[in-house]
């Protein structure tokens, strides 16, 4: 059930009430609209389901509308509305729906109720709870790798007594050996390991310090999750291990009991929020096994299995994050980026289940979060203080005395147990409209706390942190310069990068790229490892454009370089020296930003050949910014039905020559043909089917 402030049918009625004035000004245009356009666009321009869903609006001029109508409409009879007819109906549409007067008349209400999106809910909850774990959101330092603590039996220099023992009969009482073993000195030392990927064999981690028979190692630190999603952690070893991720008390992987016979591979997955560091610990021991080895790997979202790289590990030890695991109904993405505009029974139920999960988490960690212990004389006061602070964090502002009585005090008065009162406060706070609807109107002018809340939601999808809240309390979010200071500080937080990553994921339709599959016979070098490298290449390119000192958005569409490693360089015809990813320049006529990045070119292509239609649709919607309605009938591309000597451009031209198709393909085809110099995996080419490629197009 949708829940906009003003239902759409009310807008349609509003539009209809003004229609006669436009009909009087443009009677012929109104008549043509009713005859040729109303079937797809609706009587009042409100759109028609499964034909043209979007209401008529935009920023085209009447002249631009006339040209588009003459070129592409109506879909089922293109060319029947041209010349003066196109100008007349364009003038009517412009005045009725596009003009400043029409927009002012049909403007949405000043306040549009919007709930938290799924991402905003999860990050906000994590930060509300994290508010009581100081340092949980502290970005990792510059050091990389994990802190490793080693302990085991020390190396003892040989002495005559040892030699004598060695000469004793083999059946000497075993108790003597055990006694000597217990008396052997132990050694401990620490160091920093870049990764956890060691094969000790029958030897020791430190042959000059530690014996090979028995030793323990514990790696501690944090792991950075770049993006939100499911991470699979993998440990390979023939020895005993325990892995903790974001929970220091409960093992994600518990393989403490080992047979010691063969290398085992143990896997478990966990959902993590992007832009955050999580505490990680790996405990390892060898006891009586013939050999020892350990490898800590992961498979991040959209990635491949790999040893966790050094740049995602830090010796810093952050606090745990509270992550909501509830499944929510999808957010509305009908007009682009996800919005919290739909309120349904399923969404309400999901927020209740999530709130109950938080209640359980708070109850389990109440002593840690509240700083109080059961039986202490100030227990109740500390729990009241915690409950108030929790509600204030959720509401993004301090509570007035009246609010305190309503949201906190009355719960402590209503129940005998203060712990139960805390549960009720947490549940009521997270189900309150003040938390779920961050733009809920209030009396008076917006204040510093409103500014803080908007900044946090815009840059982090979350609530204000302690620094931002303090600035609001000190009235230091009043001026432009004060806001810029806080915004610049917040930009350096990994949460901002994670949010912007979500924008690029949507804009570039990267969910499509996640399903890339190429014919192994046509492209034998294009495997899962190559695909993961290409995704890393694109992500690093975006980082270079957005987060470098230059930070020039124009490079997104104009950059003449790619970020390649040796494997990709070989595949895409570049020469580089050294290992790792590095910037490689190309002929500016061959590469131009994200549009020509191989990852996207491969995503919008078939398994063997290019796909000008898919590429053209992507460019039309995501680069040019034009809307496309669903085709009146879907026509599958069947390569076998075409003359074997035709190029892909010739095949698509033949496939879409029907007048009904050309309403949209007049726009799609030219854009798609402009990328025909790139094959199905994004390599530059000059021929298709032994013919010179023609990538020249006329788009207007």
């Amino acid at each position: 059930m949708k829940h906009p402030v003003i239902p759409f049918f009310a807008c349609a009625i509003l539009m209809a009430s003004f229609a006669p004035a436009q009909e009087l000004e443009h009677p012929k245009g109104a008549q043509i609209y009713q005859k040729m356009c109303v079937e797809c666009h609706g009587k009042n321009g409100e759109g028609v389901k499964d034909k043209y869903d979007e209401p008529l609006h935009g920023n085209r001029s009447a002249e631009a509308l006339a040209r588009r109508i003459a070129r592409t409409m109506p879909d089922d009879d293109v060319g029947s509305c041209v010349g003066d007819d196109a100008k007349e109906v364009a003038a009517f549409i412009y005045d009725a729906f596009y003009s400043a007067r029409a927009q002012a008349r049909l403007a949405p209400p000043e306040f549009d109720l919007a709930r938290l999106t799924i991402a905003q809910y999860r990050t906000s909850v994590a930060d509300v709870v994290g508010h009581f774990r100081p340092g949980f959101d502290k970005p990792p330092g510059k050091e990389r790798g994990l802190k490793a603590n080693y302990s085991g039996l020390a190396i003892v220099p040989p002495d005559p007594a040892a030699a004598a023992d060695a000469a004793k009969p083999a059946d000497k009482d075993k108790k003597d050996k055990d006694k000597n073993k217990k008396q052997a000195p132990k050694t401990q030392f620490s160091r920093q390991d870049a990764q956890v990927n060691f094969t000790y064999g029958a030897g020791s981690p430190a042959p000059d310090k530690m014996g090979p028979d028995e030793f323990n190692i514990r790696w501690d630190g944090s792991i950075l999750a770049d993006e939100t999603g499911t991470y699979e952690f993998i440990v390979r070893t023939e020895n005993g291990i325990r892995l903790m991720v974001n929970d220091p008390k409960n093992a994600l992987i518990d393989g403490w009991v080992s047979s010691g016979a063969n290398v085992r591979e143990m896997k478990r997955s966990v959902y993590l929020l992007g832009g955050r560091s999580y505490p990680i610990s790996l405990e390892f021991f060898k006891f009586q096994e013939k050999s020892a080895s350990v490898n800590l790997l992961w498979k991040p979202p959209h990635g491949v299995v790999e040893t966790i790289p050094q740049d995602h590990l830090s010796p810093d030890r952050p606090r745990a994050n509270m992550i909501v695991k509830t499944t929510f109904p999808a957010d509305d993405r009908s007009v682009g980026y996800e919005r919290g505009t739909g309120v349904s029974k399923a969404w309400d139920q999901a927020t209740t289940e999530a709130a109950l999960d938080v209640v359980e988490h708070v109850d389990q960690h109440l002593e840690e979060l509240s700083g109080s212990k059961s039986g202490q004389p100030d227990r109740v006061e500390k729990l009241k203080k915690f409950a108030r602070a929790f509600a204030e964090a959720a509401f993004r502002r301090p509570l007035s005395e009246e609010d305190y009585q309503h949201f906190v005090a009355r719960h402590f008065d209503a129940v005998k147990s203060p712990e139960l009162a805390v549960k009720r406060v947490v549940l009521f706070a997270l189900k309150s409209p003040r938390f779920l609807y961050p733009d809920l109107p209030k009396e008076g002018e917006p204040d510093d706390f409103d500014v803080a809340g908007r900044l946090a939601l815009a840059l982090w999808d979350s609530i204000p942190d302690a620094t931002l809240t303090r600035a609001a309390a000190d009235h230091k979010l009043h001026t432009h310069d004060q806001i810029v200071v806080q915004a610049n500080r917040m930009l350096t937080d990994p949460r901002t990068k994670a949010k912007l990553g979500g924008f690029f994921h949507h804009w570039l339709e990267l969910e499509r790229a996640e399903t890339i599959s190429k014919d192994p016979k046509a492209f034998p070098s294009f495997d899962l490892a190559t695909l993961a490298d290409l995704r890393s290449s694109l992500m690093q390119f975006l980082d270079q454009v957005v987060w470098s000192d230059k930070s020039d958005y124009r490079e997104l569409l104009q950059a003449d370089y790619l970020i390649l490693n040796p494997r990709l360089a070989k595949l895409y015809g570049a020469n580089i020296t050294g290992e790792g990813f590095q910037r490689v320049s190309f002929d500016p006529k061959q590469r131009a930003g994200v549009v020509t990045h191989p990852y996207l070119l491969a995503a919008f292509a078939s398994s063997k050949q290019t796909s000008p239609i898919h590429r053209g649709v992507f460019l039309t919607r995501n680069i040019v910014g034009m809307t496309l309605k669903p085709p009146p009938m879907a026509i599958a591309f069947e390569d076998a039905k075409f003359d074997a000597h035709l190029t892909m451009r010739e095949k698509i031209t033949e496939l879409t020559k029907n007048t009904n198709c050309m309403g949209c393909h007049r726009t799609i085809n030219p854009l798609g043909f402009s990328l025909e110099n790139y094959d199905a995996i994004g390599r530059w080419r000059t021929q298709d089917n032994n013919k010179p490629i023609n990538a020249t197009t006329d788009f207007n």
Side-chain angles (χ1 to χ4, degrees):
M1 176 179 91
K2 297 292 183 181
H3 186 65
V5 175
I6 295 184
F8 185 81
F9 67 82
C11 294
I13 294 172
L14 197 61
M15 294 168 69
S17 66
F18 287 91
Q22 312 309 323
E23 292 175 7
L24 290 175
E25 293 178 18
H26 307 285
K28 185 176 180 181
Q31 185 179 9
I32 295 173
Y33 179 86
Q34 293 298 321
K35 180 180 179 181
M36 294 185 166
C37 311
V38 72
E39 183 179 349
C40 291
H41 294 289
K43 183 177 180 181
N44 300 296
E46 71 274 16
V48 176
K49 186 177 181 181
D50 296 330
K51 291 191 175 182
Y52 196 93
D53 295 345
E54 299 295 326
L56 278 174
H57 61 80
N59 55 10
R60 284 192 177 90
S61 65
E63 293 76 14
L65 283 170
R67 289 195 298 270
R68 181 165 175 77
I69 290 169
R71 190 176 72 248
T72 66
M73 301 179 188
D75 292 329
D76 58 353
D77 194 11
V78 175
S80 62
C81 186
V82 296
D84 290 340
D85 285 354
K87 293 179 181 178
E88 289 284 350
V89 72
F92 168 76
I93 291 173
Y94 178 81
D95 279 355
F97 311 119
Y98 279 70
S99 67
R101 180 175 60 174
Q103 292 301 309
R105 186 178 69 237
L106 303 173
E110 292 184 3
F111 168 67
D112 186 15
L113 190 64
R115 60 165 174 79
L116 293 173
T117 63
I118 299 171
Q120 290 169 347
Y121 186 95
R122 287 191 171 125
T123 54
S124 294
V125 165
D127 290 347
V128 168
V129 177
H131 181 80
F132 303 95
R133 289 175 170 144
F136 89 102
D137 57 351
K138 181 182 177 181
K142 294 183 179 180
E143 288 189 82
R144 291 293 175 261
L146 295 176
K147 182 179 179 181
N149 293 302
Y150 291 76
S151 65
L153 299 178
I155 297 293
V156 180
D159 56 36
D165 286 343
K168 290 179 181 180
D171 59 351
K172 173 66 177 172
D173 189 355
K174 186 175 179 299
K175 291 184 179 180
D176 290 342
K177 294 182 179 181
D178 292 340
K179 181 179 179 181
N180 292 335
K181 197 172 186 181
K182 291 179 181 179
Q183 292 175 347
K186 294 186 178 181
T187 183
Q188 294 183 348
F189 66 93
S190 298
R191 72 185 189 194
Q192 199 159 301
D193 291 334
Q195 297 175 295
V196 181
N197 186 13
F198 300 100
T199 301
Y200 304 117
S204 160
D208 59 330
K209 301 178 182 179
M210 183 182 294
D213 296 331
E214 298 178 20
F215 53 85
N216 298 272
I217 312 171
R218 180 184 173 102
W219 289 275
D220 286 298
S222 62
I223 185 165
L224 174 64
D226 287 328
E227 56 187 305
T228 298
T230 299
Y231 290 74
E232 183 179 52
F233 286 86
I234 305 155
V235 181
R236 294 173 182 164
T237 183
E238 66 262 51
N239 312 105
I241 63 95
R242 237 185 330 245
L243 175 67
M244 281 73 73
V245 178
N246 196 37
D247 188 342
K249 295 182 179 179
N250 297 298
L252 179 67
I253 299 177
D254 191 343
W256 204 242
V257 178
S258 169
S259 64
N262 299 301
V263 173
R264 299 173 296 162
E265 181 174 277
M266 294 158 280
K267 304 178 181 180
R268 283 289 300 276
S269 296
V270 62
Y271 187 88
L272 301 177
L273 300 176
R276 295 165 188 265
S277 292
Y278 299 86
I280 184 171
S281 297
L282 178 63
E283 298 175 350
F284 169 90
F285 79 96
K286 178 190 177 185
F287 180 72
Q288 295 184 350
E289 294 94 348
K290 293 182 179 180
S291 64
S293 65
V294 59
N295 188 9
L296 176 60
L297 310 96
W298 73 350
K299 184 179 182 296
H302 326 299
V304 295
V305 174
E306 61 178 349
T307 298
I308 300 178
Q310 180 181 2
D311 60 0
H312 282 75
L313 299 172
S314 168
D316 296 337
R317 183 75 174 174
R319 306 289 291 275
N321 282 265
M322 195 282 156
I323 300 177
V324 171
K325 299 180 176 64
T326 304
T327 300
F328 287 81
D331 290 323
D332 175 25
R333 292 178 60 177
S334 60
V335 295
Y337 207 51
E338 64 265 16
R339 304 176 303 158
T341 55
V343 178
S344 64
K345 183 177 180 180
W347 182 80
D348 180 65
Q349 182 177 347
T351 59
T352 301
E353 291 176 359
L356 290 172
D357 285 344
V358 180
V359 168
E360 183 179 354
H361 180 89
V362 169
D363 186 52
Q364 291 175 351
H365 301 84
L366 189 55
E367 291 189 358
E368 171 203 356
L369 298 174
S370 67
S372 69
K373 291 186 177 180
S374 180
Q376 289 183 335
D378 59 351
R379 168 79 164 175
V380 175
E381 289 307 313
K382 284 189 174 181
L383 292 185
K384 285 183 177 180
K385 183 179 179 181
F386 165 76
R388 179 171 195 153
F390 188 97
E392 290 179 337
F395 297 165
R396 309 166 188 88
R397 63 173 51 249
L399 295 180
S400 66
E401 184 57 32
E402 180 182 355
D403 287 338
Y404 172 71
Q405 293 298 324
H406 177 73
F407 288 104
V408 180
R410 72 184 181 96
H411 296 295
F412 281 85
D413 295 338
V415 297
K416 295 181 179 180
S417 166
E419 292 78 12
L420 179 57
V422 169
K423 292 182 182 181
R424 293 180 64 164
V425 172
V426 171
L427 179 60
F428 275 76
L430 296 183
K431 284 296 293 182
S432 170
R434 297 196 187 191
F435 172 68
L436 297 173
Y437 298 86
D439 290 328
L440 198 68
K442 63 181 184 63
E443 295 182 3
E445 293 295 319
D447 59 17
D448 293 65
F449 290 103
D450 291 312
V451 175
R454 291 177 183 177
L455 274 174
L457 207 60
L459 296 179
W460 293 342
D461 272 345
S462 190
I463 64 167
D465 65 354
T467 302
L468 195 56
T469 300
R470 200 158 44 243
D474 294 339
H475 302 289
K476 291 183 178 180
L477 289 175
H478 263 58
T479 68
H480 172 271
D481 290 343
Q482 290 173 335
I483 294 172
V484 167
V485 168
Q486 290 298 326
N488 285 337
R489 176 187 69 84
M490 297 169 70
L491 284 174
T492 64
D493 192 289
R495 287 173 289 184
T496 304
K497 185 177 179 180
K499 174 164 183 177
L500 195 58
F503 161 76
F504 283 117
H505 190 276
H506 170 74
W507 177 48
L508 300 177
E509 297 186 20
L510 297 187
E511 65 273 8
R512 180 187 184 93
E514 294 159 16
T515 61
I516 294 176
S517 176
K518 300 299 175 183
D519 188 305
K521 293 182 179 180
F523 306 104
S525 300
F526 198 91
D527 54 15
L528 290 177
T530 301
L531 184 60
D533 284 348
L534 277 178
R535 194 174 196 279
S536 295
S537 167
L538 177 61
M539 295 299 106
Q540 292 187 40
F541 169 76
L542 295 174
D543 284 350
Q544 176 90 11
V545 172
V546 177
W547 300 105
S548 67
D549 292 337
K550 183 179 178 182
S551 191
D552 187 345
Y553 73 92
R554 290 172 293 186
E555 281 198 33
L556 284 172
L557 300 178
Q558 296 178 357
D560 61 357
Y561 63 87
L562 296 173
I563 309 293
L564 304 176
N565 62 6
R567 174 165 38 204
L568 294 181
K570 182 179 179 181
L571 184 60
Y572 290 96
N575 294 316
I576 64 174
T577 58
E579 298 298 320
F581 284 91
Q582 47 195 288
R583 177 168 165 167
V584 181
S585 296
F586 286 83
D587 183 338
K589 295 180 181 179
Q590 293 186 11
R591 297 291 170 184
V594 294
V595 171
T596 59
H597 193 283
Y599 190 62
L600 293 184
L601 291 168
F604 295 98
S606 66
S607 63
K608 294 182 180 180
Q609 303 180 81
T610 64
S611 177
I613 293 178
H614 287 107
R615 289 175 176 176
V617 168
F618 169 76
L619 292 176
T620 301
R621 289 173 171 165
N622 298 48
I623 304 299
V624 180
M626 296 172 61
T627 57
L628 293 170
K629 70 178 187 62
M633 57 180 178
I635 302 177
F637 177 83
E638 298 181 52
D639 191 57
K641 291 186 176 181
F642 293 95
D643 186 326
H645 299 91
L646 295 179
T647 65
M648 180 58 72
R649 177 167 182 158
E650 291 169 337
K651 294 173 184 176
I652 296 301
T653 300
E654 175 70 20
L655 179 70
T656 60
K657 67 181 181 180
N658 185 291
T659 302
N660 291 338
C661 298
M662 287 309 294
C664 290
H665 282 274
R666 290 177 191 272
T667 299
I668 296 170
N669 289 3
L671 293 173
F673 293 154
S674 71
L675 297 177
E676 273 299 277
N677 276 120
Y678 305 93
D679 69 7
I681 62 172
R683 294 179 302 191
W684 179 263
R685 61 178 187 167
T686 57
Q687 289 195 330
D688 177 21
N689 210 4
N690 298 317
K691 294 182 181 180
I693 287 176
N694 176 18
T696 303
T697 62
D698 182 15
F699 177 79
N700 54 50

